[in-house]
Amino acid sequence: MTRTHQITALALVALAFVGIARHHGTADPHRHSTEIDITESVTGGPTEKQSVELSEHGLAAVNDAGLARVAINDGRVESAKKFLAQTRALLDRIRKDDPPITVTMDVKQGRTPIEHRRTHEVLDLIPIMSDLQVVEGFAAPQDSPASAPTQDGKASGGPIPSVAPATAEQKTQGADTDAARVAARETAIMQAKEHLRQGDQQAAAKALQLADLMLITRQVNMPLAETTRHVDKASHLVDRGKLHDANLELKKVQDGLVITTTVVAVPVTDADGAASGAGASNAG
C-alpha cells in the first residue's frame, strides 16, 4: 500500500468510527459521545550512513540517465545502452539497500482501544540533492524624531538634527559589535544546520532567533518506482531502435523529480511588538 493509499484508508477508518459514534449517540440519548483519537508513529528506516549512500546512488542514477539521453541525441546507441544499464544497476541497489519503515496506528475512543494496526513499507522518495540559503530577517526601525507623526497624523517637518562624527573609540566599539554579531550568526547557522540534519525544524528556528536569520532549504527527491519504470521503458525503446521515443521517456526521469522547499523562520518583532510568522511550501 502506498503512502497516499494508506492516508486515504486512515481517513476512511476515522470517518467510519465517527459514523459509529454518531449512531450510538442517536440510539441512546443518555450516552455521552467521546471523540475518536488516532495516533500514528513511524520507526525504522535508513540510518544516517545509509541515507547518504542512498542519496549518492540516486544522484548517480539520475546523472547516468541524463548521459544516456545525451548519447541518444548524438546517435551513440551503444553508449546509451551502457549508461542505461548503469542506471538500472544503481536503482536496483537502492531498492535492495533501502530499509523499510514500520508505521503503527492506534485508534481509541476515549481510553478504550478500538484498533491497533502495524504496517511495513519502503520509502519511495529518495533525497538526491539539497541546498540551504540563509536570509537575513529585520524589523522596522523605531520612529526617529525627524519622522515622528504629529497630532494630525503627518510627519513633522523641520531640520534634521545634526550628528557628531564618531570618535575613534566609538568606531572601535562598533567594529567589535559587528564582529560579535557575525560570530553569533555563524554559530546560529551551524547549530541550525545540525538541527535540520536531524529533522528538527523547531530547534533550528530557535537557534536562529537571536541572530534574526531564517533558512530556506530545498531538497530534490527521486521517486524510485517511477524512475525505474521510465528507465526500463527507455531501454526497451532503444533496443527497438526508437531513439526519439526513448529520449522522451528519459526526459520524464528529470521531469519527475520532486522538489520540496521549506522556510525555517523565527518571528521578528517590529516596532509595535507585532511578529511575523514562518512558513513552508512544497513543489513537485
Side-chain angles (χ1 to χ4, degrees):
M1 178 180 291
T2 64
R3 187 69 172 176
T4 302
H5 291 166
Q6 183 175 358
I7 293 175
T8 303
L10 182 62
L12 291 176
V13 169
L15 291 175
F17 283 120
V18 170
I20 293 173
R22 289 178 178 175
H23 173 73
H24 287 309
T26 303
D28 186 358
H30 300 289
R31 182 187 181 101
H32 296 286
S33 61
T34 306
E35 293 184 357
I36 301 296
D37 182 25
I38 301 176
T39 59
E40 185 180 79
S41 61
V42 179
T43 57
T47 62
E48 181 178 349
K49 180 180 179 181
Q50 290 173 327
S51 297
V52 172
E53 293 177 349
L54 292 173
S55 297
E56 291 176 348
H57 297 331
L59 180 59
V62 172
N63 288 337
D64 283 346
L67 292 173
R69 189 182 177 197
V70 172
I72 289 175
N73 291 330
D74 292 342
R76 296 181 286 111
V77 178
E78 293 304 319
S79 295
K81 291 182 179 180
K82 176 183 176 182
F83 285 124
L84 286 172
Q86 292 176 184
T87 302
R88 192 59 166 84
L90 287 167
L91 295 175
D92 288 340
R93 183 170 181 179
I94 293 173
R95 184 178 293 101
K96 178 181 178 182
D97 296 341
D98 188 11
I101 62 173
T102 300
V103 181
T104 304
M105 184 187 71
D106 290 291
V107 181
K108 294 182 179 180
Q109 184 174 13
R111 296 183 179 180
T112 305
I114 297 178
E115 182 178 357
H116 174 80
R117 182 186 304 174
R118 179 172 295 176
T119 58
H120 303 277
E121 61 182 77
V122 177
L123 296 178
D124 182 67
L125 286 180
I126 307 299
I128 63 173
M129 187 185 306
S130 64
D131 58 32
L132 182 148
Q133 180 181 5
V134 181
V135 180
E136 183 178 5
F138 60 91
Q142 296 285 347
D143 293 336
S144 62
S147 60
T150 60
Q151 293 181 354
D152 59 2
K154 298 180 180 179
S156 61
I160 300 176
S162 60
V163 180
T167 63
E169 181 180 358
Q170 290 173 332
K171 291 181 179 179
T172 301
Q173 292 175 350
D176 293 342
T177 301
D178 291 340
R181 183 182 299 110
V182 171
R185 291 188 171 188
E186 290 179 349
T187 301
I189 292 171
M190 291 178 59
Q191 293 175 348
K193 286 182 178 180
E194 178 63 22
H195 291 312
L196 286 176
R197 187 181 63 81
Q198 298 175 2
D200 192 343
Q201 293 188 6
Q202 291 184 350
K206 185 176 181 180
L208 297 173
Q209 185 172 9
L210 298 180
D212 286 343
L213 297 175
M214 68 179 180
L215 300 181
I216 299 177
T217 63
R218 188 175 69 100
Q219 182 169 288
V220 182
N221 304 278
M222 179 194 69
L224 181 58
E226 181 180 338
T227 301
T228 302
R229 287 195 299 269
H230 293 319
V231 171
D232 288 344
K233 188 173 181 179
S235 298
H236 180 67
L237 291 170
V238 169
D239 291 338
R240 296 177 58 186
K242 296 185 177 182
L243 302 184
H244 177 70
D245 293 337
N247 173 48
L248 295 179
E249 196 64 32
L250 288 176
K251 181 178 181 297
K252 296 178 182 178
V253 172
Q254 184 70 30
D255 295 342
L257 297 178
V258 180
I259 301 177
T260 303
T261 302
T262 304
V263 178
V264 181
V266 177
V268 179
T269 304
D270 59 19
D272 297 328
S276 58
S281 62
N282 296 331

